[in-house]
Amino acid sequence: MVIVSQPTDPTSRPGTQAAETPATRPLERFWPYAELAEEPSAEELAALDPDLHAALFGKPPGPFSISLQFPPFDGPDYAEAVTLAKASRDYREIGQGDDRRHRATFQSADAAQLRTLFHIVGRFDACEVLVDGRPVPYARELWLPLVWFLLR
C-alpha cells in the first residue's frame, strides 16, 4: 500500500499561483434578509385567514359575523354599495385589477345595514356570503334569512 501525501501549502501545488489566494475572507451570511419587525402589525393580523388566526390566537369571543364580498360592478348604485360597505365593522379591498373585491363584515347587531347592502349586491352571482370569514353551504339561502329575523 502506497500513501501519497498532498502538499498543505496552496502555492506549492503545481499550476497554483499565490495570486489565486483571496486577500479577504467573504462574509458569513447566506443571503440578504429583509429587516422585518418582531411583531406583526394590526393590518397584517387583520389580513390573516380566519382559520390561521384561530389556530394562533384562539377563537375570538363574541357573536358570529357575516361578510359580503362583491366585485366592482357597473350601475348607479355602485357608489352607494361601496359607501355602505365602508360603513361596516370591518371593510377591506382584496385583490387588484379584475380580481379586486370589496369585503364588508357585519355582526348580528348590524342586521339592517347588512340587509340594505345585500339588496344592492345580492343580485350578482359573484357576490359571496361568508359566515365568520368562511364560505359555508347555504349561506345565502339559510344564514341570511336567519339574520333577517333579528330585524324589528
Side-chain angles (χ1 to χ4, degrees):
M1 180 162 111
V2 177
I3 299 177
V4 178
S5 66
Q6 296 284 332
T8 57
D9 185 17
T11 58
S12 64
R13 285 190 222 141
T16 307
Q17 301 190 4
E20 291 181 13
T21 305
T24 60
R25 185 175 181 179
L27 293 176
E28 293 182 8
R29 73 178 171 187
F30 298 107
W31 53 80
Y33 286 104
E35 293 294 325
L36 300 175
E38 293 279 330
E39 296 293 323
S41 66
E43 293 83 21
E44 291 171 329
L45 289 176
L48 282 179
D49 179 69
D51 292 330
L52 178 60
H53 193 278
L56 291 174
F57 305 111
K59 185 163 172 60
F64 71 95
S65 65
I66 293 189
S67 300
L68 295 179
Q69 188 168 303
F70 60 96
F73 58 90
D74 294 328
D77 47 1
Y78 174 69
E80 181 184 359
V82 172
T83 303
L84 289 169
K86 287 183 178 181
S88 67
R89 292 194 185 240
D90 182 29
Y91 170 77
R92 289 186 222 162
E93 280 191 40
I94 303 169
Q96 299 174 4
D98 292 339
D99 295 330
R100 193 176 107 195
R101 306 194 42 92
H102 300 280
R103 184 176 188 173
T105 302
F106 300 91
Q107 291 182 349
S108 57
D110 310 323
Q113 293 91 348
L114 173 63
R115 184 175 70 173
T116 305
L117 180 59
F118 184 73
H119 280 305
I120 296 172
V121 299
R123 65 179 183 250
F124 301 107
D125 291 335
C127 175
E128 294 180 64
V129 179
L130 309 171
V131 177
D132 280 338
R134 293 187 263 332
V136 295
Y138 305 108
R140 283 176 170 246
E141 298 84 6
L142 176 66
W143 290 96
L144 282 179
L146 288 174
V147 172
W148 302 161
F149 281 115
L150 298 173
L151 297 172
R152 295 181 184 167

